[in-house]
Amino acid sequence: MTSPADQLQNVLGQTSASQPCKLVIFGAGGDLTRRLLLTSLYDLAVANALPAGFQIIAIDRDEQKAQDWADRHFALAEQDAKDPSAEFSCPHLDRRAWDRVTHNAQYIAGDFTRPELFTTLSETLGGDSAIFYCAVAARFFAPIATALGEAGLLAEKAGFRRIVIEKPFGHDLASARALDETLRRQARESQIYRIDHFMGKEANQGILVARFSNVLFEPLWRREYIDHVQITAAETIGVESRGAFYEHTGALRDMVPNHLFVLLSLIAMEPPSSLAAEAIRQEKTRLLEAIRPVRAQDYVAGQYGAGEIAGSPVAAYRSEPGVATDSQTETYVAMRLDIDNWRWGGVPFYLRTGKRMKARRTEINIVFKKPPYALFNQDMNDPRTGNVIRFLLDPVRGVSIGFDAKQPGLEEVIAPVTSSFLYDSFFPKAPNVGYEALLHDCMAGNQMLFQSAGTIEAAWAAIDNVATTPVTPCLYEAGSQGPAEADALLARDGRQWLPVA
């Protein structure tokens, strides 16, 4: 049987593509570094997929030694690995693999806003190739990029220099453009890696394979056959300890122009001319540019109240730590999108995402049109009647196809049935936080899984109207399917959401 390490290595391809480099982590003591970056690097080490000469340079405010920083994060990773529901979980953490990630790490204590930090960093790097990873709050992206540029740290001489920034890429269209202008003043587009971990998840990458390598799907992927598309990203968790952060972000900015639009572009883009990074990025941008700007009447904002999840009571959003008692921040959004092109004209796309919902579920549902008439006397108003292709992305990963079949018996009774493919039933489970392929590709200089400036701008342009217009969120009970107003959004079109369960 193929080992998990071999499975991951097969996914990443030939490890020689990764070039020797140093990974500079701004925010090395933060949650992102702990939960996702170091655990993904550990998975790469297990798969022998780290480049030769790899080294971490950790930067944060706290004074400490590099070994103390590495040991602390190993202990935290051991703790996280024991949770089978966590993004990173494994029965045993291999200390030797962990040491391959951190054994020669350097630690620099300093303030991101002070030029002397970047002088020290320049002396530490010398002329080596480097990736600068901004694992910090979004407000630091532009200052760090500017400081790197002014210190000459983004100048490519003997090796390469790349900068990685996390979402959110701005908080509206104007700020996204301003951030991009700052980045472009300091670096070329080929040096800028805008990362969204949704693109690194195996099931999400599998959408393009399902569409473009199967004649079974692609001929039907158009307005003549598809009635509508639903994209759902539902969570049972609340804002946890991030209330103060979430108050300034909200569900719309946190999820839609990045995560949900990543899924939208994968499911709706035109076939690229090749698998070259630029060919795929261009098609994603064209798709997002074709979205008609969302109108206020096609948008619903909600906020969770008190309720019950899995038999346990949960507090309302306004009772969470760091949240204002009169907060108007949305924890749920739903919207209708219309795409103005030949493939999708007239086919509505319904997107929703929310916290404290009935179940954790990320999926895309392709709902096909009903037969032109009821030859078998089936109830055409029954929402179970007809064909649905469901791309199951989290926590279950796979594809389910719903269709009608004859129920055994003497009479012609039609019953809905499903046929499913699940990743875990066909392939050995490989470790995957979602950043492994992204980090590997960044080291190799492959931007295919990263967002372009045009894609970011097109995404914000589609929702800028609702993002910049204050809306009072409607309340929904924690543990529910979401607000009634979101149901009404589909009901006015004669449709309804597939349940989150």
Side-chain angles (χ1 to χ4, degrees):
M1 179 180 291
T2 306
S3 71
D6 290 337
Q7 284 292 315
L8 181 58
Q9 198 169 57
N10 290 339
V11 168
L12 298 173
Q14 296 299 316
T15 59
S16 60
S18 294
Q19 305 168 40
C21 66
K22 296 181 178 180
L23 178 63
V24 180
I25 304 176
F26 292 95
D31 188 59
L32 173 63
T33 299
R34 166 193 171 174
R35 292 187 306 106
L36 301 174
L37 288 187
L38 291 179
T39 52
S40 295
L41 290 169
Y42 168 81
D43 287 340
L44 292 176
V46 170
N48 295 315
L50 286 177
F54 175 79
Q55 180 186 27
I56 289 177
I57 298 177
I59 300 177
D60 217 319
R61 289 177 177 270
D62 297 337
E63 291 280 355
Q64 59 184 307
K65 295 180 179 179
Q67 190 59 53
D68 293 338
W69 173 83
D71 289 343
R72 174 176 174 269
H73 280 87
F74 177 77
L76 291 171
E78 277 194 313
Q79 174 184 318
D80 294 342
K82 295 175 183 177
D83 181 0
S85 65
E87 288 183 282
F88 175 73
S89 63
C90 62
H92 170 69
L93 206 61
D94 185 340
R95 184 61 194 246
R96 290 174 301 176
W98 184 270
D99 287 344
R100 287 201 294 275
V101 176
T102 63
H103 78 282
N104 61 346
Q106 291 184 259
Y107 185 91
I108 300 175
D111 185 336
F112 306 148
T113 64
R114 306 286 295 180
E116 53 264 30
L117 169 65
F118 296 88
T119 301
T120 301
L121 180 58
S122 180
E123 294 169 353
T124 302
L125 284 175
D128 293 339
S129 293
I131 295 170
F132 303 100
Y133 201 113
C134 296
V136 295
R139 67 180 183 276
F140 291 115
F141 293 165
I144 287 175
T146 300
L148 287 170
E150 291 177 348
L153 286 164
L154 291 172
E156 295 185 311
K157 298 173 184 176
F160 65 80
R161 296 291 170 91
R162 296 166 188 152
I163 182 169
V164 180
I165 62 170
E166 285 270 350
K167 64 92 175 172
F169 312 108
H171 59 268
D172 56 17
L173 180 58
S175 61
R177 284 174 170 165
L179 174 60
D180 185 60
E181 288 172 3
T182 298
L183 294 171
R184 294 291 195 92
R185 281 196 296 269
Q186 310 302 335
R188 301 187 309 278
E189 175 66 15
S190 61
Q191 295 177 271
I192 303 169
Y193 286 69
R194 303 170 188 85
I195 195 168
D196 186 331
H197 76 275
F198 260 44
M199 272 305 301
K201 291 184 176 293
E202 282 298 332
N204 299 355
Q205 293 182 54
I207 294 172
L208 290 186
V209 176
R211 284 190 58 193
F212 299 134
S213 69
N214 293 289
V215 177
L216 174 67
F217 294 130
E218 186 58 20
L220 304 178
W221 229 249
R222 59 193 69 252
R223 59 187 176 83
E224 288 86 355
Y225 302 103
I226 293 175
D227 179 77
H228 71 280
V229 177
Q230 298 182 19
I231 301 178
T232 296
E235 299 177 286
T236 55
I237 62 171
V239 294
E240 299 178 301
S241 61
R242 301 192 310 148
F245 159 79
Y246 205 81
E247 277 286 85
H248 299 285
T249 306
L252 178 65
R253 291 178 172 86
D254 189 40
M255 292 292 292
V256 176
N258 35 72
H259 293 345
L260 292 194
F261 276 14
V262 162
L263 301 182
L264 173 67
S265 61
L266 292 173
I267 209 71
M269 64 184 276
E270 293 298 314
S273 58
S274 72
L275 291 181
E278 196 54 35
I280 291 177
R281 282 153 55 110
Q282 284 177 356
E283 292 302 339
K284 290 179 181 178
T285 300
R286 289 192 185 102
L287 185 279
L288 296 181
E289 287 175 341
I291 298 174
R292 196 181 307 164
V294 179
R295 305 175 300 173
Q297 58 264 42
D298 293 330
Y299 173 71
V300 173
Q303 184 186 96
Y304 65 82
E308 185 176 290
I309 296 179
S312 299
V314 295
Y317 174 72
R318 292 179 181 179
S319 298
E320 301 276 17
V323 174
T325 56
D326 60 349
S327 173
Q328 298 298 301
T329 299
E330 78 286 351
T331 62
Y332 174 103
V333 293
M335 64 184 65
R336 169 182 167 143
L337 298 180
D338 292 279
I339 299 174
D340 292 331
N341 63 20
W342 278 86
R343 181 183 292 265
W344 298 114
V347 178
F349 285 71
Y350 300 104
L351 279 59
R352 62 176 167 172
T353 182
K355 292 188 175 296
R356 290 294 192 207
M357 294 185 68
K358 183 177 178 61
R360 171 185 160 198
R361 180 74 64 183
T362 300
E363 64 183 38
I364 303 172
N365 295 299
I366 313 299
V367 182
F368 286 81
K369 293 181 177 180
K370 300 288 181 70
Y373 70 102
L375 177 64
F376 295 102
N377 199 33
Q378 64 264 53
D379 181 2
M380 302 300 284
N381 293 318
D382 186 339
R384 299 175 302 165
T385 300
N387 305 134
V388 179
I389 297 178
R390 307 180 74 168
F391 286 86
L392 310 173
L393 306 174
D394 183 67
V396 178
R397 302 179 305 146
V399 181
S400 172
I401 301 177
F403 56 98
D404 295 335
K406 180 185 179 299
Q407 183 172 305
L410 298 177
E411 299 183 3
E412 296 289 343
V413 177
I414 305 303
V417 298
T418 59
S419 178
S420 299
F421 146 70
L422 299 178
Y423 275 84
D424 291 347
S425 298
F426 277 78
F427 306 112
K429 188 173 182 179
N432 189 281
V433 173
Y435 278 72
E436 291 87 349
L438 295 168
L439 290 170
H440 183 268
D441 282 0
C442 185
M443 294 173 194
N446 182 0
Q447 290 184 304
M448 184 179 77
L449 298 179
F450 296 83
Q451 305 276 49
S452 70
T455 301
I456 299 298
E457 183 167 331
W460 277 115
I463 64 167
D464 196 53
N465 177 51
V466 293
T468 56
T469 303
V471 175
T472 300
C474 45
L475 293 179
Y476 63 97
E477 183 180 351
S480 70
Q481 296 284 336
E485 289 81 354
D487 296 333
L489 179 67
L490 271 68
R492 77 182 189 200
D493 295 338
R495 301 182 176 99
Q496 63 185 58
W497 293 107
L498 293 172
V500 175

